[in-house]
Amino acid sequence: MAPHISESALAGLVEDLAGEVITPGDPAYDEARALHNGMIDRRPSVIAQCATQSDVSNAILFGREAGLPIAVRGGGHSVAGTSMIDGALIVDLRRMHGVVVDPEDMTVRIEGGATMAHLDHACQPFHVATTGGRASTTGVGGFVLGGGSGWLERKFGLASDNLLAADLITAEGKHVHADAEENTELFWALHGGGGNFGVATSLTMRVHPLPRMSMAMLFFLPDGAPEVVRTFRDLGLGAPDEMGGGCIYVPAPPVPFIPEDLVGKLVCGALFTYTGPAEEVREFAAPLLALKPVVEVVTDIPYVDLQSMMDDPPGLRNYWSAEYLREFPDAAVDVFCDRGAGIPAETATQHVLFLMGGAVAAGPSQYPQPWRTAPWAVHPFATWEDPAYDERARQWVHDVRADVRPWALDATYLNFVGDEGEQRIVSSFGERNYRRLAAVKGQYDPDNVFRFNQNIVPAV
């Protein structure tokens, strides 16, 4: 049971905030607590919809004084739903979504509640970009601080590789700035350590010229999928860094380029994204085109449109995980395709293989991201509507992980997974990195106030 909050204390929070304070019974309460993952239905005590950095500080101090658990909401896209906790104070950053691009310095400053859509639309007029998540609804803060894997990573590195500075509010309600020269150990920890150290109210990131973007998106009937996946793999091994992409098993979505007779039927897709013209990606993908896809889309596309192309609707039930692979031999292709063919019926589940490598593997090795060396990532992404499918969908995700474990690293990108236990977190950072992260956590959050995340236990 949550501690009692006095009316005077709550009135004080309302007075202190430029934003809004929402409590149970308010007309906006249910909308304010809804998350992307429809499996999560939690009832916080107070939602502080912060509008300024001072609001964040005041909300944290209020929550600590009231003895409330404190969770932080940016995009609300975490599959584990850790930004919404029963009986908690929620520091809701969504009103803080400003993005300012400096095309001369090639930087962008992003407020803590911005989503990928805010970031990408702000960058588009300047023909610049930085690595973003593969869904426009993803929150920038959690994405970047968790590492940040996206379509541009093979060219520009992980999102966190492009992090230049961060402003945080600590568990004591104090402002702290971190960059390569100030609070350097904290800055190191922010390259993958997530929201463990404070509430990120703004991030400054490097942007890169992106004058053109194109893609080759091909769909095949599942009978020919093993040959498609092997061909994609072989092409990917020789791909230039400008090329990203993946393979996917998915029920064909109801979009204009999918024939009506295919909608809802299982297909195997291959996607190459390219930071150049469509004619070049067409030439590169020729071996896949020779396999005669039932759907063929090869086109130039604005990056902002590519980023929203795979958005999954909010409110569905979600359960995800991931394994990062040292190699992807024919035997791994076979088990990947077997599980793809067995996607639970009557769901919108996706079974994804991502091409990694490039600037990710060649990037900074000092950060706590041992998974970045993997050339491949398998991402079982179960989504469905009917609660009757809960057990079946979760088991399918577990089975995919078990199938590919012979080729997997111990480490995984934690933004892709839910609550899989402390050891999964430790192994995904590496034990030495984890101890170092725990020391930083002990300095900035010794009481583990910010614990609703992929939590690092403070060393005190």
Side-chain angles (χ1 to χ4, degrees), residues 10-32:
L10 194 60
L13 179 63
V14 171
E15 181 68 23
D16 286 342
L17 257 60
E20 298 292 325
V21 176
I22 297 174
T23 57
D26 288 347
Y29 179 74
D30 284 338
E31 181 179 355

Side-chain angles (χ1 to χ4, degrees), residues 233 237 324-329 332 353 374-376 404 406-409:
R233 175 201 61 191
L237 289 172
Y324 277 64
L325 308 185
R326 297 183 301 272
E327 57 181 343
F328 193 59
L353 170 75
W376 304 100
V404 300
W407 304 282
L409 302 174

Side-chain angles (χ1 to χ4, degrees), residues 78-423:
S78 161
V79 69
T82 51
S83 58
M84 197 61 55
I85 302 297
D86 286 330
L89 166 76
I90 309 301
V91 180
D92 187 337
L93 302 176
R94 287 177 294 168
R95 289 175 176 239
M96 301 172 62
H97 55 71
V99 178
V100 178
V101 180
D102 186 334
E104 292 188 4
D105 287 346
M106 294 297 284
T107 61
V108 58
R109 185 179 182 275
I110 310 148
E111 288 190 312
T115 65
M116 289 301 154
H118 294 122
L119 172 59
D120 296 335
H121 280 280
C123 289
Q124 188 79 7
F126 302 100
H127 303 290
V128 299
T130 195
T131 301
R134 298 176 179 91
S136 68
T137 52
T138 301
V140 176
F143 169 78
V144 174
L145 299 182
S149 171
W151 297 128
L152 296 178
E153 64 193 352
R154 285 174 45 84
K155 177 65 174 175
F156 300 141
L158 298 172
S160 57
D161 295 342
N162 295 282
L163 180 64
L164 299 175
D167 289 284
L168 280 75
I169 301 298
T170 70
E172 295 181 345
K174 296 179 180 178
H175 168 257
V176 63
H177 178 84
D179 58 27
E181 297 181 352
E182 185 177 352
N183 295 310
T184 56
E185 193 70 357
L186 173 61
F187 188 61
W188 171 84
L190 296 176
H191 289 72
N196 272 283
F197 313 103
V199 180
T201 55
S202 75
L203 304 175
T204 301
M205 299 183 67
R206 181 186 300 109
V207 295
H208 306 265
L210 188 66
R212 297 192 69 173
M213 195 79 206
S214 61
M215 69 172 186
M217 183 169 58
L218 314 173
F219 285 105
F220 302 82
L221 298 178
D223 288 350
E227 185 177 6
V228 170
V229 177
R230 284 193 295 270
T231 303
F232 174 87
R233 175 201 61 191
D234 295 344
L235 286 171
L237 289 172
D241 290 357
E242 291 79 8
M243 200 78 67
C247 273
I248 186 171
Y249 277 83
V250 65
V255 293
F257 56 82
I258 298 288
E260 284 188 19
D261 62 334
L262 280 181
V263 171
K265 295 181 179 178
L266 187 66
V267 292
C268 176
L271 171 69
F272 279 114
T273 63
Y274 183 57
T275 58
E279 54 265 28
E280 292 180 11
V281 74
R282 176 179 286 279
E283 181 179 354
F284 180 82
L288 279 169
L289 289 163
L291 299 179
K292 309 231 179 271
V294 293
V295 176
E296 173 187 324
V297 180
V298 183
T299 184
D300 292 298
I301 183 172
Y303 176 63
V304 69
D305 293 342
L306 175 67
Q307 282 287 81
S308 60
M309 188 176 67
M310 294 182 66
D311 285 0
D312 51 321
L316 292 178
R317 304 172 79 79
N318 283 253
Y319 189 80
W320 324 331
S321 193
E323 293 290 348
Y324 277 64
L325 308 185
R326 297 183 301 272
E327 57 181 343
F328 193 59
D330 285 349
V333 171
D334 290 342
V335 298
F336 176 82
C337 291
D338 285 346
R339 285 296 172 197
I343 280 177
E346 307 300 326
T347 72
T349 292
Q350 304 172 28
H351 183 38
V352 188
L353 170 75
F354 286 125
L355 173 63
M356 302 296 293
V360 179
S365 59
Q366 71 268 29
Y367 296 125
Q369 303 158 336
W371 48 270
R372 70 185 297 149
T373 61
W376 304 100
V378 171
H379 183 30
F381 189 100
T383 58
W384 67 102
E385 189 170 0
D386 187 348
Y389 285 92
D390 286 4
E391 183 176 351
R392 192 182 317 175
R394 284 194 294 255
Q395 187 59 51
W396 177 82
V397 171
H398 296 159
D399 290 342
V400 171
R401 283 192 60 200
D403 284 349
V404 300
R405 280 298 298 165
W407 304 282
L409 302 174
D410 286 335
T412 195
Y413 171 46
L414 292 171
N415 279 357
F416 272 174
V417 308
D419 182 1
E420 297 185 1
E422 183 179 2
Q423 186 52 47

